[in-house]
Amino acid sequence: MTAMSASAEALLARAVAAAPTLQAIAKDFQAQIAQGLAGEGGSLKMLRTFTRQPSGRERGRVVVVDWGGTKARAGLVELAGGGSVRIVTEEALTFPEAMKREAPEPVFDLIAGVVGRVARAERVDAAPLAFVYSYPARLERIDRAVALASTKGWRLQGLVGRDVAAMLTAALGRAGLARIAVAAVANDTVAALILQSYRARGSDAAARPADIGLILGTGTNLAADLGPAGIRNLESGNFDGVGAVETPYDVALDRELDEPPPGAQRFEKMVSGHYLGEILRRALADLGARTGWFPWGSTSVIAAPFAFDSAYLSRIADDRTAALDDVDALLRSLGIESTRQERHGLRALGAAIARRAARLVAAAFLGTLRFVDPRLDDRRTIAVDGSLWGGYPGFEGLVRAALVELLGRERADRVEIAFVKDSTSAGAAVIAAVAAAQRSEGCSSA
Ligand code: BGC
C-alpha cells in the first residue's frame, strides 16, 4: 500500500471497527431488541408483521406491488406449492424526484396505473394483492399498515399516520381495479425471510425456517423470527449504537441531511447503498481540501452531494489490475485525471467504508442471533437480498470473516447465509397466501 493510502486509511481509523467494539455494538443491539419488544423505547422499532412462517405448500396467483425506493414494481406471481414460485410478469416505474415531497395520492395513482397494465396484459380481473411497503409502518392487521416517518429520501406530505393499504385500495378503485384487493402489507425484509422459509420447507417439510431476513440495498433493515414475539420488522436502519465507529464524515452527513433527519437511521447512514458513495465523496472532498491529495474538488462528482454513486465503490473494488486501469477509466468518464497512487488511495478508502459496513451488519446479525439463541447452540439461517449485498465484490466474505472473529469458527459455521436474489415480489406472494390460510382458519397471529 502506498504512503498516501496508508495515511488516508489512518484518517478512517475509527471506521476499522475492531472485534471488541463490534462485540459491544452487538450487545447493545441485543439489549435494544429486548427494550423495543417490552415497549420501553430505544432505536429499534420491533414492529409486528402479522404473518407467520409458511408451510412451503402455499399456492395461488397473487398480484404484487413492490415500493421501496425511486422505483416501484407491479407484477403477477404464481405459487405452485413445493417451494416453487414463478414471476409471471413484472413492470417497473420510476418516480420523478419532485414527487417524493408532495402529496401521496399521485404516488399511489402511479402505482395503481402499473397494476392496471399488468392486470390487463395478464387478463386478471379479480385477485388478492400483496403490497410490499419498504418503509417504516406500524401494522395493525396483515392488511392495515400505518405509515411512520419515511426513509431513503421520501417525505410525502401528510402520509404519517395514514394506512398505506387503504390508500392503495382507494387508488385501485380510482383506476377501476376494485376487484384487486389488498390482502397483505409487508416489509421487504419479511418477504426475504418468508421466501427462504417457503423454498426450504417446500423441498423438505422438516427444514428449519429462516430466522433472519436482511435487505442491504439502497436502505437496510432486518426482520427476525423471535419465537413467541412472532416475526418482527426491527427497522434496524434506525439503530443508534454506532457512535464508536463514526468518522467525522458520518457525523457531518447525519447532521446536514434533512431527510431522514439528524439522529434518525444512523446505522443505515453508515451501511446502505444510498450513503456509502456519499461518505467516500465527503472523505475525498475533505482530503482534497486539506492535504492536496485527490485535487478533484471542482469536479461535479466530488462537489455535489450524493453525486458519487455507491455502485462506483463496487466497480473500484472489482479492479484488480496493478495500475487500476478500470478505476482510471471510471474517473476519466467523470472528468478526473488521476495518478496511480491516488487511485490506490481511493480504492483503500472505498474498501475501508465497505468493510466497516460489512462488520456493522455482522454485529447486527450477532445481536439478533444472541437474542434468539444466546449460546448459538442451533443452526440458524439468514436470508439476505439487496443490490449492495449482491453487487459489492466479496461483501459476504467480509461479513463471514467478522462473524468468525466474533463467534469463533465452530459457532460461525452454524450460521447459514442464503442469498435470495430478487426475493421481494416472490416473498410477498407467499405472505399473501399465508394470510389467506390464516383468514380461512379464522385466526391471526402476531
Ligand atoms: C426502510 C425499511 C426497509 C429498508 C430496506 C429502510 O430505509 O426503513 O423499511 O426494509 O430500507 O429496503
Side-chain angles (χ1 to χ4, degrees):
M1 190 187 298
T2 64
M4 180 194 293
S5 57
S7 322
E9 263 208 312
L11 201 99
L12 285 168
R14 282 174 73 78
V16 165
T21 311
L22 289 183
Q23 292 282 12
I25 292 173
K27 211 165 166 198
D28 184 14
F29 198 93
Q30 183 183 345
Q32 291 209 36
I33 291 180
Q35 200 185 341
L37 283 179
E40 290 165 1
S43 62
L44 295 174
K45 297 191 171 74
M46 307 307 302
L47 301 162
R48 296 174 74 192
T49 64
F50 292 88
T51 192
R52 66 176 185 207
Q53 295 283 4
S55 65
R57 295 186 301 274
E58 288 75 9
R59 296 175 157 273
R61 256 156 74 96
V62 181
V63 173
V64 293
V65 165
D66 166 14
W67 171 29
T70 301
K71 284 192 165 126
R73 280 183 300 190
L76 181 66
V77 177
E78 262 175 23
L79 305 174
S84 120
V85 192
R86 188 167 78 94
I87 310 280
V88 179
T89 186
E90 225 170 22
E91 238 195 86
L93 81 105
T94 304
F95 296 106
E97 202 50 40
M99 232 184 199
K100 295 184 176 173
R101 290 176 182 233
E102 291 172 359
E105 284 77 11
V107 172
F108 284 94
D109 284 335
L110 272 188
I111 294 174
V114 214
V115 173
R117 284 205 291 284
V118 166
R120 277 188 296 278
E122 297 300 325
R123 299 175 190 287
V124 176
D125 171 45
L129 181 147
F131 180 18
V132 182
Y133 177 76
S134 299
Y135 304 95
R138 192 174 301 287
L139 269 66
E140 294 177 348
R141 286 191 324 234
I142 185 70
D143 58 356
R144 188 174 158 76
V146 177
L148 303 172
S150 293
T151 52
K152 298 178 274 199
W154 284 83
R155 185 167 52 190
L156 294 171
Q157 300 296 318
L159 180 75
V160 172
R162 295 178 70 187
D163 172 15
V164 295
M167 296 186 78
L168 181 57
T169 300
L172 291 168
R174 289 194 289 276
L177 302 164
R179 283 160 58 80
I180 296 184
V182 180
V185 184
N187 188 261
D188 51 0
T189 54
V190 182
L193 184 155
I194 294 288
L195 180 64
Q196 169 61 24
S197 299
Y198 173 74
R199 286 193 177 142
R201 289 182 148 180
S203 45
D204 170 8
R208 280 194 52 80
D211 299 280
I212 295 178
L214 164 80
I215 298 291
L216 184 63
T218 306
T220 188
N221 185 16
L222 287 184
D225 184 344
L226 302 179
I231 298 172
R232 297 284 179 137
N233 166 10
L234 276 62
E235 285 298 335
S236 59
N238 195 49
F239 177 63
D240 63 2
V242 289
V245 290
E246 263 178 345
T247 66
Y249 309 120
D250 302 298
V251 174
L253 170 60
D254 178 48
R255 198 180 47 228
E256 289 163 23
L257 264 194
D258 67 337
E259 205 49 61
Q265 300 297 112
R266 278 174 67 197
F267 183 87
E268 180 165 274
K269 284 171 181 163
M270 295 166 73
V271 163
S272 80
H274 192 53
Y275 302 100
L276 295 192
E278 174 62 7
I279 299 170
L280 180 55
R281 185 197 69 81
R282 284 169 177 261
L284 292 171
D286 177 56
L287 288 168
R290 288 196 302 118
T291 68
W293 308 335
F294 314 113
W296 313 331
S298 59
T299 54
S300 58
V301 73
I302 303 298
F306 288 93
F308 200 99
D309 198 318
S310 293
Y312 301 157
L313 260 79
S314 302
R315 187 166 160 192
I316 291 167
D318 226 1
D319 187 350
R320 309 288 155 87
T321 61
L324 298 181
D325 301 326
D326 188 49
V327 177
D328 191 23
L330 170 68
L331 292 174
R332 280 177 197 282
S333 74
L334 299 168
I336 293 174
E337 295 272 342
S338 61
T339 65
R340 178 176 168 154
Q341 219 188 8
E342 283 167 344
R343 292 196 290 280
H344 278 282
L346 168 66
R347 193 166 186 274
L349 283 172
I353 291 166
R355 183 169 175 273
R356 179 185 66 172
R359 294 173 74 78
L360 282 170
V361 167
F365 282 167
L366 184 60
T368 313
L369 290 168
R370 284 223 179 101
F371 181 86
V372 175
D373 179 359
R375 290 166 20 95
L376 257 171
D377 289 324
D378 285 333
R379 300 195 72 78
R380 299 285 162 188
T381 303
I382 303 176
V384 299
D385 194 6
S387 52
L388 182 60
W389 186 286
Y392 189 88
F395 198 87
E396 180 166 333
L398 292 170
V399 175
R400 276 235 150 264
L403 283 176
V404 171
E405 268 179 64
L406 296 173
L407 282 168
R409 164 118 7 231
E410 198 192 325
R411 284 200 164 79
D413 281 349
R414 290 182 201 150
V415 181
E416 183 201 345
I417 299 180
F419 181 44
V420 278
K421 196 169 177 341
D422 299 330
S423 59
T424 307
S425 299
V430 180
I431 292 170
V434 170
Q438 280 172 308
R439 257 190 286 270
S440 68
E441 288 160 20
C443 71
S444 68
S445 60

